[in-house]
Amino acid sequence: MTEPTKSPRPKDWIMGIAPYVPGRSTAGAGRKVVKLSSNENPLGTSPKAEAAFETGRGSLSRYPDPGATALREAIAAKYGLDPARVIYGTGSDEILHLAAGAFAGVGDEVLYVRYGFAVYEIATRRVGATPVIAPDADYATDVDALLAAVTPATRVVFVANPNNPTGTYTPAAEIARLHAALPAHVLLVLDQAYAEYLAADEDDGGLALARTAPNVLVTRTFSKIYGLAAERIGWGYGPADVIEALHRIRAPFNVTSAGQSAAIAALGDEDFVAHSRAHNGEWRDWFRQEIEAMGNKGLRAIPSKANFVLVTFAGALSAEAAYEGLMAEGYITRWLPGQGLSEGLRVTIGTEQETRGLMAVLRGLVEAAG
Ligand SMILES: *Cc1c(COP(=O)(O)O)cnc(C)c1O
């Protein structure tokens, strides 16, 4: 037997992936930490979801329901959907990967906007497909730019609405225009991770499209407004044949028992969701006004409909210096040079105390920079 001289060689397209960088969760040793880097719900989760989570204790040795039947039925009842067409994932991240995996491969193109969600690139490269990036319109999604980038090789288009990391929102008419102009063989994935933060009249029409169009997949998550990020539960809705293809490559038992129970309870706690949305709206407005008051120092808040705000820095204080200065005081935010946003800092809206505290530190940094 000869010893192997080399370790196994990963596929070239895998080595082309820049590893996902999660929001930091620790600052300097022994510091109080305020984590505003991952768009989690600062109010926690629904007490009803917590109670439901606990009921799983007696059955830890059993696999979860592989079909997530009760969860699918609860989702379908809430939104008026066909439960057979609801897919569930280990976070909506898994569903984004399933969409790329089932519909794109080597030689195909997957399209999304500059400053799109970081997982789109990973999901695309993972299957050997080619990422194609459409220019933004002042950080926002530009439907004309997306359409101009469609080629015969395009298989999947990812659009997050509201978008992360920009927080920008694309109205229903623009989503409809994008869908109407896409060739039928292109799967349009509408990633609605922040949809529950929108007002009722701001629905982008994604679920309505997914009910009837043959090529629209909507994804949602329990990680954001529902406050269940630790449990990793997402869901999606689309045409029966699309959903059937995704199931073929989904991991078996991909949503835990406790997660399924907690998610069902969270869906039913509309008061918690309404309270979270109202809190976010109030403090996001306050945050934006505070940033606008520092406009003469080069700070700008990109208009956001999500639970975070992207702040850009064009004056004496750089985004990097703001990030470091906030970190030194225990406030963890997200600086995103790896996504081409070295001028921007993404800040999750926290509790009142956290949001006021962060702003006081930021004001001090701006003043000290001159
Ligand atoms: C947070 C987020 C997700 C998914 O999160 P999961 O925890 O995997 O459900 C998906 N898309 C966008 C745009 C997000 O910001």
Side-chain angles (χ1 to χ4, degrees), residues 343-366:
E343 78 279 25
L345 205 60
R346 195 194 68 189
V347 183
T348 305
I349 301 301
T351 61
E352 170 175 355
Q353 192 192 2
E354 290 168 344
T355 307
R356 286 187 186 277
L358 175 136
M359 197 57 77
V361 174
L362 184 57
R363 257 188 250 113
L365 293 167
V366 166

Side-chain angles (χ1 to χ4, degrees), residues 290-346:
E290 292 286 311
I291 297 297
E292 278 170 5
M294 293 185 275
N296 60 339
K297 303 284 191 180
L299 275 66
R300 179 181 172 215
I302 305 302
S304 171
K305 297 275 187 192
N307 66 342
F308 58 87
V309 177
L310 179 67
V311 182
T312 60
F313 294 75
L317 183 70
S318 69
E320 181 176 16
Y323 170 74
E324 297 294 352
L326 287 164
M327 181 74 79
E329 295 299 320
Y331 291 93
I332 310 181
T333 60
R334 195 75 167 271
W335 179 49
L336 293 160
Q339 280 186 256
L341 274 170
S342 53
E343 78 279 25
L345 205 60
R346 195 194 68 189

Side-chain angles (χ1 to χ4, degrees), residues 84 92 102 113 126 135 159 173 185 217 224 229 238 241 281 290 311 346 351:
S92 54
V113 291
R126 173 186 179 175
V159 174
H185 70 268
L217 174 70
K224 303 289 160 59
D241 54 350
E290 292 286 311
V311 182
R346 195 194 68 189
T351 61

Side-chain angles (χ1 to χ4, degrees), residues 132-364:
V132 175
I133 294 169
D136 60 301
D138 191 24
Y139 297 99
T141 296
D142 181 339
V143 164
D144 291 309
L146 278 171
L147 288 172
V150 173
T151 77
T154 308
R155 291 293 173 275
V156 177
V157 178
F158 284 116
V159 174
N161 197 30
N163 187 35
N164 174 14
T166 61
T168 53
Y169 170 71
T170 308
E174 284 293 282
I175 296 292
R177 191 164 73 84
L178 170 64
H179 174 252
L182 280 180
H185 70 268
V186 174
L187 180 68
L188 175 59
V189 181
L190 296 173
D191 175 347
Q192 299 187 334
Y194 301 97
E196 296 85 0
Y197 285 102
L198 297 170
D201 63 355
E202 291 172 328
D203 178 4
D204 73 2
L207 271 182
L209 271 178
R211 279 193 192 96
T212 54
N215 63 336
V216 174
L217 174 70
V218 161
T219 63
R220 294 275 185 113
T221 182
F222 285 94
S223 302
K224 303 289 160 59
I225 208 165
Y226 290 108
L228 289 171
E231 280 307 291
R232 316 298 304 117
I233 317 155
W235 60 276
Y237 196 71
D241 54 350
V242 168
I243 297 299
E244 195 265 344
L246 303 185
H247 274 297
R248 289 172 185 243
I249 54 172
R250 173 178 66 72
F253 310 108
N254 60 338
V255 180
T256 65
S257 302
Q260 292 184 33
S261 304
I264 292 166
L267 266 184
D269 193 345
E270 292 183 3
D271 288 347
F272 178 80
V273 172
H275 177 57
S276 298
R277 184 189 304 117
H279 168 86
N280 184 67
E282 178 182 352
W283 290 97
R284 187 182 59 203
D285 286 349
W286 182 86
F287 186 98
R288 195 197 58 238
Q289 285 161 19
E290 292 286 311
I291 297 297
E292 278 170 5
M294 293 185 275
N296 60 339
K297 303 284 191 180
L299 275 66
R300 179 181 172 215
I302 305 302
S304 171
K305 297 275 187 192
N307 66 342
F308 58 87
V309 177
L310 179 67
V311 182
T312 60
F313 294 75
L317 183 70
S318 69
E320 181 176 16
Y323 170 74
E324 297 294 352
L326 287 164
M327 181 74 79
E329 295 299 320
Y331 291 93
I332 310 181
T333 60
R334 195 75 167 271
W335 179 49
L336 293 160
Q339 280 186 256
L341 274 170
S342 53
E343 78 279 25
L345 205 60
R346 195 194 68 189
V347 183
T348 305
I349 301 301
T351 61
E352 170 175 355
Q353 192 192 2
E354 290 168 344
T355 307
R356 286 187 186 277
L358 175 136
M359 197 57 77
V361 174
L362 184 57
R363 257 188 250 113

